[in-house]
Amino acid sequence: MASTQQSFLTGSLFIIIFISSSRCHAHAVPRVTFPLESPGRPFTVFTLPGVYNATTLLLSDDEETLFVGARDAVLSLNITNAGHLQLSKKIDWSPTNEELGACGMKGTPEMDCPNFVRVLQVLNSTHMFACGTFAFSPRCSFIDSEEFTLLVNPSGKPEEGRGRCPYNPYHKNTAITVGGELYTATVADYRGNRPVISRHLSEGDRVDMKLDDTPGWLEDPTFISSTYIPSEEKVYFFFSEMGREYDFVDKFTVSRIAQVCTSDVGGQRTLQRRWTTFAKAQLLCQAKGELPYNVLQDMTTLQSAEGASKEDTLFYGIFSSQWSVNSGRSAVCVFSLREVKTVFSGNYKVLNRDTLKWSRRTGEHEKIANPGECGLHNATDNVLRFVKENFLADKNVAPANQGLALVSPEQRYSNIAAQRVKGANGKEYTVLYLLTESGYLHKAVLLKDGAHIIEEIQVLKQPHQVKNLLLSASKGTVFVGSSEGVASVPVSSCSHYWSCAECVLARDPFCAWDFTQRVCAHVSSIKHQPVQDVDGGNALNVCKTFTTLLPRGRSLLPGTPSVQVPVFLKEVVRLHCPVSSRLASLHWERHRGELSPNIYIQEDGILSFLATPTTLGSYECQATENGFTQTLAVYEVRQKQDSTHQPSATPTTLSPENGRQATSPPTKPETTPGPKDEKPMTQKSTTSTATSTVIPSSVHVPEDGSTNMFQRESSTSYLKELVAVSVLLVICICALLMVAAYNLRKSYRSRTVPHLPSSHQDTEGGTEQEREALRENSPQPDKHHGQKSPNTPSNGVSNGSNGHLPNIPI
């Protein structure tokens, strides 16, 4: 009864939370977007003919070599040159035709039957270990590190892969080596219904370990990642599974962290060759008053800073939600090792083996031991039976900052990497690299006032279901593995920012402004006083000592000419503003006169208006970000000399790069700290290319006050057209009257003219026999002189069957 009341109260609490989920987050939006092959953010992609699905990535200890597990192959890539991948050696490792045929006989699609290498680990200085799906029959092998070749088992039999590697290439798994032993979390059967967490390759008096087969230890899990914490002598596993402790919700998914001690060798009688130190707890990624992000997608470990406590080790995870209210979103939560240790050292829930229901521990349940504590393999059978049924921690692991580190409203993240970066002021910042499901790489910096996404880079042409992300801090490179190959992306591209203002507004811990060289460069390369403000991005204060604060890609001379836009009167002019940042608000200003909403339409950085004598002149597009205002484009709209020419039906496109002709718009050498005297209309920024387009007057005009402007400007300007049309109408009427009079006069004359004999009439009036005789007696053309036959169509037009052109009535 108590359990039922508890479930009801818990379910009611979730319903209340669901109803009250009205609080909005300051969702992080990338400041700058770099499409594929953008010159502002170059990177390289390594591909090899015949090699696909390069999704298992591993760095050597010295980070000079990148090992890649692909489909039917294992690669060794030299990365001595940062950002450049060079093939060193390759191992071909594919099933035989007979094995592929047997895989197909099981009903497996042919494309899933090759050997997908899913485990690749360094065992010691001389050997590596690899496992692959191998036509749905997992197989492993040792690799000679020096020769980089597969080693044959002394028995001649292939190394068993079951329990170390999944059968299905789409099933997730994780593996890590500690002291030459392999710790894995995967499924041990063809259908993926037997999850196992095990240890292999044990030597000496140590034995291989795995979970007990008792129900409840794992509930349909999806394994994500694993990590080893030397100070704890524990391996931690991260996964998602069904939360059976919440029996009021059917198939409620929860995220877990589980632990095993590396010293565990199993019990003497109870739990022989089974984990005695296995324990798990829930990871709760949830903001106050909102539904949780409960499905774990990826997890990475960031070791504690130099000189800090090992308990400051952090775990950064990507979470999605099974709730429709958070559909399409991803959240990043960070957990500390200190909080994980506190939860595992606390109380544990009690599992009723008869009903398989969990309940809280009460006073009547005696606590015999501390589950998860190392050294329990020497405990008594009574203690081991206790830990066998008490392995789910009572409390949840809450985020280190008691909230969400980052929320993406537009993208779903799939992979994550993290590093600490020292800024120009000596302060350390945490930088996250997030790979989206759509193939974009986001770089974000975590600040006190929230996460700031510095940039997003498109690294994949198409979305891929299986991909991987690996960071090499020493090389300053992020590696992205997918079916397209291995992309090598530099962690920063400071040269993209061509002004002090944009270098500071980027808030990139890697980049700072070098006032001596007048360039944005890597912090480590600047010798004297690097200019940077990662925390505030206050370009107005930081860059105020410089005389020229110019936007990216503009001339350093203050007198740069504006873009000339020649137009005809009564044409609709559309001026496009270039976008330097998605976080900036765009607004237009006119040198002389106000931008009345009855005359001008501003939308998404585009200014539209009707060309009249009063609207000709100079226009500026300005962007304001963090209180700093800069001019992005200047257009000079003027009337064309030939005023009688009508507007062209084809839009004329001008831009700051190619506009009349190839002249860049001027930029203000001075800065403006705030809004002008005239209140500008703030517009949402876009990512489109900056263009200035003159379009015909048939453009759609919103049905608001601006329509009156178009009507007023057009009502007094059609007098000439009206006169011209009237004159043409009179001329046409006169011509018709003259033709009618001529035909009438001809008909009267025909009555008094004598008729000629039929033989002298035109051939069209003769009989069929006469016409046929004329055809037979007419001279034939000389083909040698290139003359055409009467039946040969000319100018590509075919004759009809009745002698007339087709589709023309007789």
Side-chain angles (χ1 to χ4, degrees), residues 29 100 128 178 292 301 381 409 428 442 460 493 541 639-640 735:
V29 177
L100 291 174
M128 298 176 60
V178 179
T301 303
D381 292 344
E428 284 192 339
H442 285 193
L460 300 178
S493 180
N541 292 338
Q639 182 181 357
K640 287 186 178 181

Side-chain angles (χ1 to χ4, degrees), residues 591-642:
H591 288 180
R592 298 183 302 275
E594 297 182 354
L595 299 182
S596 171
N598 294 328
I599 300 177
Y600 297 91
I601 301 175
Q602 300 187 54
E603 184 178 11
D604 294 335
I606 301 176
L607 181 66
S608 303
F609 58 92
L610 192 68
T612 64
T614 59
T615 58
L616 299 178
S618 182
Y619 296 86
E620 288 187 3
C621 175
Q622 296 185 346
T624 302
E625 182 178 0
N626 269 10
F628 174 79
T629 302
Q630 62 179 341
T631 301
L632 300 180
V634 179
Y635 296 99
E636 186 70 30
V637 182
R638 62 179 182 82
Q639 182 181 357
K640 287 186 178 181
Q641 297 299 327
D642 186 9

Side-chain angles (χ1 to χ4, degrees), residues 725-796:
V725 171
S726 301
V727 172
L728 290 175
L729 181 60
V730 172
I731 294 174
C732 292
I733 293 175
C734 293
L736 291 175
L737 292 175
M738 292 177 64
V739 170
Y742 175 77
N743 291 334
L744 183 61
R745 181 171 177 269
K746 183 178 179 181
S747 63
Y748 279 107
R749 288 184 60 188
S750 63
R751 296 177 182 178
T752 59
V753 175
H755 291 273
L756 298 176
S758 60
S759 59
H760 297 284
Q761 293 182 2
D762 192 282
T763 56
E764 289 188 3
T767 64
E768 183 65 27
Q769 292 79 4
E770 292 173 342
R771 291 198 297 270
E772 192 65 29
L774 289 176
R775 291 194 189 101
E776 294 177 356
N777 298 330
S778 60
Q780 297 297 324
D782 187 359
K783 297 181 179 180
H784 296 284
H785 287 79
Q787 297 180 5
K788 293 184 179 180
S789 152
N791 295 329
T792 302
S794 62
N795 297 329

Side-chain angles (χ1 to χ4, degrees), residues 164-472:
R164 307 177 185 183
C165 176
Y167 287 72
N168 193 322
Y170 298 105
H171 285 167
K172 293 186 176 182
N173 70 299
T174 179
I176 189 174
T177 54
V178 179
E181 296 177 324
L182 180 69
Y183 292 78
T184 64
T186 185
V187 290
D189 66 330
Y190 180 86
R191 298 185 179 276
N193 297 326
R194 288 186 53 199
V196 292
I197 295 178
S198 51
R199 183 178 69 201
H200 307 273
L201 308 180
S202 302
E203 295 181 352
D205 57 349
R206 296 174 62 82
V207 295
D208 290 350
M209 300 287 297
K210 66 177 182 178
L211 279 179
D212 189 68
D213 295 331
T214 304
W217 284 51
L218 294 174
E219 299 286 353
D220 192 18
T222 300
F223 297 110
I224 301 300
S225 67
S226 55
T227 185
Y228 172 61
I229 307 298
S231 60
E232 299 296 314
E233 295 186 350
K234 293 179 180 179
V235 175
Y236 291 95
F237 297 91
F238 302 93
F239 56 95
S240 295
E241 67 173 355
M242 294 295 104
R244 300 301 182 189
E245 64 268 32
Y246 301 101
D247 56 354
F248 65 93
V249 178
D250 185 28
K251 293 184 178 181
F252 176 61
T253 304
V254 296
S255 299
R256 304 286 197 197
I257 178 174
Q259 63 153 42
V260 294
C261 294
T262 56
S263 60
D264 197 344
V265 293
Q268 297 178 358
R269 287 181 296 274
T270 303
L271 295 178
Q272 290 185 6
R273 294 179 177 268
R274 302 293 189 269
W275 296 111
T276 63
T277 56
F278 174 81
K280 65 181 181 180
Q282 180 179 348
L283 296 172
L284 188 60
C285 182
Q286 180 181 15
K288 185 178 180 181
E290 294 189 359
L291 290 172
Y293 291 83
N294 56 320
V295 183
L296 181 63
Q297 300 295 332
D298 195 20
M299 182 73 73
T300 187
T301 303
L302 185 61
Q303 299 294 337
S304 58
E306 186 177 355
S309 171
K310 297 299 181 182
E311 293 186 350
D312 292 333
T313 299
L314 300 176
F315 308 109
Y316 289 87
I318 297 174
F319 295 81
S320 60
S321 177
Q322 73 179 92
W323 313 107
S324 58
V325 67
N326 291 330
S327 178
R329 298 179 180 177
S330 288
V332 176
C333 282
V334 52
F335 306 92
S336 68
L337 178 60
R338 180 180 287 104
E339 180 66 18
V340 170
K341 291 178 60 178
T342 301
V343 171
F344 278 133
S345 61
N347 291 328
Y348 283 74
K349 296 182 183 294
V350 179
L351 178 63
N352 187 326
R353 287 297 177 185
D354 296 331
T355 61
L356 293 179
K357 301 293 184 181
W358 292 95
S359 61
R360 286 180 175 269
R361 179 174 299 280
T362 60
E364 62 185 27
H365 297 93
E366 181 183 0
K367 185 177 181 180
I368 300 177
N370 294 322
E373 184 180 2
C374 296
L376 291 178
H377 53 276
N378 293 323
T380 62
D381 292 344
N382 190 29
V383 170
L384 293 180
R385 282 192 293 269
F386 178 83
V387 300
K388 182 178 179 179
E389 298 180 358
N390 297 265
F391 51 84
L392 177 60
D394 189 33
K395 292 185 177 180
N396 301 326
V397 182
N401 53 1
Q402 301 300 318
L404 308 181
L406 185 151
V407 176
S408 173
E410 301 175 350
Q411 299 283 356
R412 290 177 63 98
Y413 295 131
S414 60
N415 300 83
I416 185 173
Q419 73 173 132
R420 287 188 174 88
V421 181
K422 184 172 292 186
N425 56 0
K427 180 181 177 181
E428 284 192 339
Y429 298 91
T430 301
V431 176
L432 302 180
Y433 305 94
L434 304 156
L435 187 62
T436 71
E437 291 185 352
S438 58
Y440 283 80
L441 181 65
H442 285 193
K443 184 174 75 172
V445 57
L446 301 183
L447 306 171
K448 289 184 179 180
D449 56 350
H452 170 67
I453 302 182
I454 302 169
E455 59 189 359
E456 66 172 356
I457 312 157
Q458 185 180 2
V459 294
L460 300 178
K461 295 180 180 179
Q462 297 179 351
H464 295 276
Q465 183 175 356
V466 180
K467 46 192 174 293
N468 201 359
L469 188 68
L470 184 63
L471 169 68
S472 174

Side-chain angles (χ1 to χ4, degrees), residues 586-748:
L586 302 180
H587 60 275
W588 288 86
E589 289 192 357
R590 190 179 180 187
H591 288 180
R592 298 183 302 275
E594 297 182 354
L595 299 182
S596 171
N598 294 328
I599 300 177
Y600 297 91
I601 301 175
Q602 300 187 54
E603 184 178 11
D604 294 335
I606 301 176
L607 181 66
S608 303
F609 58 92
L610 192 68
T612 64
T614 59
T615 58
L616 299 178
S618 182
Y619 296 86
E620 288 187 3
C621 175
Q622 296 185 346
T624 302
E625 182 178 0
N626 269 10
F628 174 79
T629 302
Q630 62 179 341
T631 301
L632 300 180
V634 179
Y635 296 99
E636 186 70 30
V637 182
R638 62 179 182 82
Q639 182 181 357
K640 287 186 178 181
Q641 297 299 327
D642 186 9
S643 60
T644 61
H645 182 73
Q646 295 299 319
S648 172
T650 304
T652 303
T653 302
L654 302 174
S655 68
E657 288 75 16
N658 61 9
R660 202 193 175 183
Q661 290 293 340
T663 58
S664 298
T667 56
K668 283 189 176 182
E670 60 276 346
T671 61
T672 309
K676 307 290 183 182
D677 296 336
E678 171 194 350
K679 183 178 296 183
M681 181 178 292
T682 302
Q683 299 297 337
K684 181 179 66 176
S685 60
T686 63
T687 58
S688 60
T689 305
T691 59
S692 172
T693 307
V694 181
I695 65 173
S697 57
S698 60
V699 68
H700 171 72
V701 181
E703 296 180 358
D704 55 9
S706 59
T707 307
N708 299 331
M709 177 276 296
F710 287 97
Q711 293 176 352
R712 290 198 303 270
E713 296 292 343
S714 303
S715 60
T716 60
S717 59
Y718 290 110
L719 180 59
K720 295 181 180 179
E721 287 79 357
L722 181 60
V723 172
V725 171
S726 301
V727 172
L728 290 175
L729 181 60
V730 172
I731 294 174
C732 292
I733 293 175
C734 293
L736 291 175
L737 292 175
M738 292 177 64
V739 170
Y742 175 77
N743 291 334
L744 183 61
R745 181 171 177 269
K746 183 178 179 181
S747 63
Y748 279 107

